[in-house]
Amino acid sequence: MMNQNAFTMATLIVFGVFGSAHAAPLSGTGFSDFNTGVSVDGQGGWSSDNPAWDEEVVLDATNSNYVWRVSNAVTAGSFGDMPFAPRPGGIPDDTVNDPVNSDPLFFAGESSTMASFRQFLGEFSFRSVTGTAQTGLRITVSIDNGQGARQSFVAVTDTGFGIDVTTFDLDEDGNFLGPITIAQDLSYTDWHTIGMEAFFKDGTDNDRVKYFVDGKLVHQGPSWEQFYTNFQATLHPLGVPVQTLLFRLSGPAVPGVTGDGYYIDNVFTSNSKKQ
């Protein structure tokens, strides 16, 4: 996988492909300066508040690349204790009155949220730890406000034949539609990159998310705007701005993948289109 210098160059390429000349980097993690053999929690701005999760920073099979290993050997229905990429705006504790946690420069969202930016990009690279089937292995990744309010979704699932990537769309009433397969039978032995780019526009049912797999646009769909409008308006009356990526370990646990799972590397987030 990429070394730190190559990762820096990759972030510049990302600005050219996905972002704009006014992109504002939030975080970039190549894990090269992290301690190995321990949780990602507390390193480089990352958090993972439940010690039960099967995750740690390791050297990959080449013994030359620092990566984060994570699996769904242990799962839960929670949000706040799940692994989060750096949250430069902190953890919002008053989503009713202050959804940007008094740090609007770190958030993207509609103007009602008081976020300074209207566009957010999050991306990460992954590959199978074993290079072979780990049937039932699954993690989900979402653009998030930093405390579990999501605006996008991908599930990365080992089907036993390859790795599938799925998402959900929403209708105008906030109901989920899917799952929708956006990539299928990805190789166990290759690295893959997923990007999610959210565009926030004032108004109803008009925010959009683009999904990229290995540099190709594979799907465009709505944000979760209508879900919050129809089902959580009391909790999020001003809308939900975003600042990070949430890596969630939910659904049925698969103890057989303990110590294996996915390698994660090159986790990158940025804002653009300042208002």
Side-chain angles (χ1 to χ4, degrees):
M1 201 49 179
M2 302 178 205
N3 61 28
Q4 193 62 47
N5 290 336
F7 178 49
T8 300
M9 181 60 68
T11 63
L12 297 177
I13 294 172
V14 166
F15 282 142
V17 175
F18 298 115
S20 74
H22 303 290
L26 292 173
S27 70
T29 306
F31 302 101
S32 61
D33 56 350
F34 284 38
N35 295 321
T36 60
V38 295
S39 170
V40 75
D41 185 50
Q43 301 198 66
W46 283 68
S47 61
S48 180
D49 290 342
N50 189 336
W53 306 139
D54 180 40
E55 55 89 10
E56 62 181 333
V57 179
V58 299
L59 284 169
D60 69 7
T62 68
N63 283 320
S64 62
N65 187 44
Y66 290 79
V67 294
W68 178 44
R69 183 198 62 76
V70 62
S71 85
N72 61 333
V74 178
T75 61
S78 55
F79 289 90
D81 63 347
M82 291 287 172
F84 282 89
R87 294 176 278 192
I91 304 174
D93 58 9
D94 182 4
T95 60
V96 174
N97 301 297
D98 185 17
V100 294
N101 206 34
S102 298
D103 275 318
L105 286 173
F106 293 120
F107 288 84
E110 294 189 20
S111 62
S112 61
T113 67
M114 297 171 280
S116 293
F117 294 87
R118 298 293 172 264
Q119 188 172 325
F120 177 92
L121 167 68
E123 71 169 29
F124 65 97
S125 297
F126 71 94
R127 62 151 285 179
S128 167
V129 170
T130 65
T132 58
Q134 303 174 79
T135 305
L137 172 64
R138 177 183 181 269
I139 65 170
T140 71
V141 186
S142 297
I143 294 172
D144 193 89
N145 74 337
Q147 52 104 262
R150 299 169 286 179
Q151 287 283 21
S152 72
F153 176 94
V154 290
V156 183
T157 305
D158 187 328
T159 66
F161 300 97
I163 299 171
D164 286 3
V165 182
T166 57
T167 189
F168 283 86
D169 282 349
L170 290 84
D171 65 21
E172 63 182 7
D173 297 319
N175 300 302
F176 290 96
L177 307 173
I180 301 166
T181 300
I182 60 176
Q184 192 169 23
D185 294 337
L186 297 178
S187 166
Y188 289 130
T189 57
D190 294 335
W191 282 93
H192 305 282
T193 299
I194 292 176
M196 293 176 281
E197 191 175 22
F199 301 82
F200 298 98
K201 184 178 180 180
D202 291 350
T204 301
D205 195 23
N206 57 359
D207 297 343
R208 293 294 178 263
V209 180
K210 293 182 178 181
Y211 295 86
F212 300 83
V213 177
D214 293 337
K216 297 179 180 179
L217 177 63
V218 293
H219 185 70
Q220 297 186 61
S223 74
W224 289 25
E225 171 186 18
Q226 293 306 106
F227 171 79
Y228 296 111
T229 297
N230 287 279
F231 298 105
Q232 293 191 0
T234 301
L235 185 60
H236 301 284
L238 302 178
V240 175
V242 296
Q243 61 162 326
T244 190
L245 291 177
L246 163 65
F247 291 79
R248 193 159 182 256
L249 312 173
S250 59
V254 184
V257 299
T258 301
D260 292 320
Y262 293 118
Y263 289 140
I264 306 293
D265 202 359
N266 299 337
V267 182
F268 176 76
T269 60
S270 70
N271 287 328
S272 61
K273 296 191 181 300
K274 187 174 181 180
Q275 300 298 316

